[in-house]
Amino acid sequence: MRVFLDNAPLDSQPHSGSLADALAAVQSEAGSRLIVEVHADGAPVPADHLTDPPETSPYCDELTCVSADRAAIVRVSLGEAADLLGSMGEQYPKIVEMLQVGQTQEGLPALADVFNVWQQVEQTVQTASRVDGVTFAPAAGDDSTQQLLDTAGGELAGMCRDLKDAVVAGDFTTVADAIEYDLAQLNLDWQRLLNQLAERTRLRDNLAA
């Protein structure tokens, strides 16, 4: 089995043809970089094979892997999350207008989409903050990154809770006002936070090349 990393053959090919040995050799050569794609004879390797490699040997004729800088992955993920919030923020005036004129059958599904996007963004931030070997450079006079995330997360949780309570109560005037003013401002705050985190993303010193 021939093994390639980033379009180049491994300097040290694995002794056996097993997938487990090949992946270990790839990660050893990749160092601090994350393996983001693995293909066997041109087809993606199934996720369960990556977590529990079969003992088949040789696993394939040619295993090709792609790596990426883990800090770069986090930066891109955070930047995309900020862009997603930017796009969603453009929908707020439409949702507000629908609720103000009583078009709840159209407005409430759109609001549910908003909640889903916020959940996706929050999951992105949580995942980014847990990537092994990645940290966020402190900014002068700033609270710690965790404090910033805790504060922002608390504000978001409170906003979502208030909106859902108002929806259950059928108070759509309050819902519309909260979206137009409070949620729109929170949207801008989170965009700024995400972009700041992306700019401050670094590899930990012990992993830096």
Side-chain angles (χ1 to χ4, degrees):
M1 179 171 64
R2 295 168 297 169
V3 183
F4 293 80
L5 174 62
D6 298 330
N7 297 317
L10 290 188
D11 292 336
S12 178
Q13 292 286 328
H15 297 300
S16 77
S18 72
L19 179 59
D21 284 350
L23 293 175
V26 167
Q27 189 60 71
S28 176
E29 191 155 318
S32 66
R33 294 171 66 84
L34 288 177
I35 306 304
V36 294
E37 292 182 23
V38 183
H39 287 74
D41 295 332
V45 173
D48 59 326
H49 284 199
L50 296 175
T51 55
D52 186 18
E55 297 180 2
T56 307
S57 182
Y59 179 77
C60 60
D61 291 328
E62 184 174 289
L63 191 77
T64 56
C65 305
V66 176
S67 70
D69 178 273
R70 61 184 67 206
I73 293 175
V74 171
R75 289 188 202 103
V76 170
S77 297
L78 292 171
E80 289 177 345
D83 292 341
L84 185 60
L85 284 181
S87 298
M88 184 179 67
E90 297 173 0
Q91 303 303 313
Y92 289 169
K94 299 176 185 178
I95 298 173
V96 168
E97 183 178 0
M98 286 188 286
L99 295 176
Q100 287 176 335
V101 299
Q103 295 177 347
T104 55
Q105 289 187 337
E106 296 83 3
L108 291 181
L111 181 58
D113 290 340
V114 168
F115 287 135
N116 289 335
V117 169
W118 273 109
Q119 184 177 34
Q120 181 181 340
V121 168
E122 212 175 8
Q123 288 174 345
T124 296
V125 173
Q126 291 173 359
T127 300
S129 66
R130 292 196 298 263
V131 173
D132 187 39
V134 171
T135 188
F136 301 103
D142 238 354
D143 291 332
S144 72
T145 298
Q146 193 57 55
Q147 286 177 309
L148 291 173
L149 292 176
D150 288 345
T151 299
E155 292 174 349
L156 175 59
M159 172 60 60
C160 290
R161 183 172 57 251
D162 291 346
L163 280 172
K164 291 176 179 178
D165 287 347
V167 169
V168 171
D171 187 355
F172 298 115
T173 298
T174 295
V175 174
D177 287 346
I179 296 171
E180 185 173 11
Y181 300 107
D182 301 328
L183 191 60
Q185 183 58 53
L186 198 61
N187 205 86
L188 294 174
D189 292 343
W190 269 72
Q191 281 182 262
R192 184 165 51 250
L193 173 62
L194 291 168
N195 285 320
Q196 288 174 349
L197 290 177
E199 292 173 1
R200 291 160 50 183
T201 301
R202 302 286 188 275
L203 280 178
R204 294 188 186 279
D205 291 340
N206 62 338
L207 287 180

